[in-house]
Amino acid sequence: MKITDIIINSLWVLLSLINFINGVGFIYMGFKTKNNMWLLEGIVYEMPWILIIICGLLMPNVIVMLYLGTFAFLLQVISIIRSIWVDYKYIQFIHSNEKYLNE
């Protein structure tokens, strides 16, 4: 596997750095590899942001938003660390299944 293939297939990690879409990389990777655990992990990382939007529109309470924001921030930090960790397994998976390089 060439270094350019590794870099291109690791670009999903950058999504974990962006608020509101930090779980989208895991969702993408879960769909691409048909790994339901990574898909579920991406949904869990997205859930606090969705709750912040819903609670902000329906019941704008400062305390609730503070707790949800803190929880979302902590999950984002975890998703950044976890995405770097999981990327190694993802690259190994792609390397052993060369058909994923052509998609």
Side-chain angles (χ1 to χ4, degrees), residues 1 9-10 12 24-42 82 86-101 103:
M1 179 183 281
N9 286 304
S10 296
W12 69 269
V24 172
F26 279 94
I27 293 170
Y28 163 75
M29 188 179 56
F31 275 128
K32 189 169 182 183
T33 61
K34 296 175 181 64
N35 186 331
N36 291 334
M37 294 307 291
W38 288 342
L39 180 67
L40 181 64
E41 191 172 353
R82 181 86 172 117
V86 167
D87 187 51
Y88 177 73
K89 293 179 185 178
Y90 178 63
I91 294 301
Q92 284 181 336
F93 175 83
I94 288 180
H95 183 63
S96 64
N97 297 301
E98 294 292 328
K99 65 181 180 179
Y100 287 102
L101 288 175
E103 291 182 358

